[in-house]
Amino acid sequence: MAAFRARQVARIRDAVATARQAVRQAAHPDRLLFARAFVDAGGAQVPGDRGGEASAALAERLLDAVAGGQCEAPADADLERELQRVRTETEWALALDDERIVGFLLDLPDSAMETPTVEALAHQSQGLGPGIFRKADILVLQPECDGARFIPVTEHDIEC
């Protein structure tokens, strides 16, 4: 399975930050707004794509899918990954202004947990507990984590 290259991860992270800001300014969970800002910032990436052609085509498919209200793309793992990112990050953007939410628990599928690096990520602690990431973090998961979910965590949920 191909993985995102370091430059791709940085590009995705920067594009997520830009798109989160666009959603926060609009103050409502507009997935198309997020997708457009994300794509415009070069965030749609095909793992391992060196030339950028496959990523550019993915960006077009992503915008078409979000504009058309498509929720899943089971035949296209790259598109499904980006659709999931749009869904997750749009909600995450609004959580940044919600004082009740302190972070997100990374819930990984069992198949991903078979990889040692993924298992380590799931047990990583940022001070909120294992597998809980601060809400200001931008986590770019590798394709081996496809199917992961982020569950909002409140201060009440954190064990002292």
Side-chain angles (χ1 to χ4, degrees):
M1 175 182 294
F4 291 117
R5 301 171 53 74
R7 287 183 183 159
Q8 289 181 297
V9 170
R11 191 167 225 187
I12 294 167
R13 185 175 287 118
D14 291 347
V16 166
T18 298
R20 278 185 184 177
Q21 187 59 32
V23 170
R24 289 178 73 196
Q25 287 174 346
H28 62 89
D30 185 337
R31 291 179 179 169
L32 186 55
L33 174 67
F34 181 93
R36 284 184 178 143
F38 179 71
V39 166
D40 288 348
Q45 297 289 313
V46 172
D49 181 22
R50 292 179 184 261
E53 296 84 16
S55 295
L58 174 61
E60 289 180 30
R61 293 193 316 275
L62 176 62
L63 288 177
D64 289 345
V66 175
Q70 185 175 353
C71 294
E72 294 181 12
D76 185 340
D78 295 325
L79 180 57
E80 175 55 34
R81 183 179 312 110
E82 295 308 328
L83 285 169
Q84 180 62 34
R85 189 184 321 275
V86 167
R87 287 188 297 268
T88 300
E89 291 291 350
T90 300
E91 297 300 324
W92 196 319
L94 294 179
L96 292 170
D97 296 322
D98 186 338
E99 293 180 14
R100 297 169 297 167
I101 298 174
V102 296
F104 288 87
L105 173 64
L106 176 60
D107 181 32
L108 291 157
D110 291 337
S111 60
M113 294 297 285
E114 294 174 10
T115 307
T117 54
V118 175
E119 184 180 14
L121 178 65
H123 292 86
Q124 184 176 334
S125 181
Q126 304 288 322
L128 297 174
I132 301 174
F133 295 85
R134 297 185 185 284
K135 67 181 182 180
D137 290 347
I138 297 175
L139 194 61
V140 178
L141 299 174
Q142 289 291 345
E144 61 198 358
C145 296
D146 285 356
R149 298 178 314 133
F150 289 97
I151 302 167
V153 175
T154 64
E155 192 171 296
H156 175 73
D157 297 324
I158 304 293
E159 293 183 16
C160 296

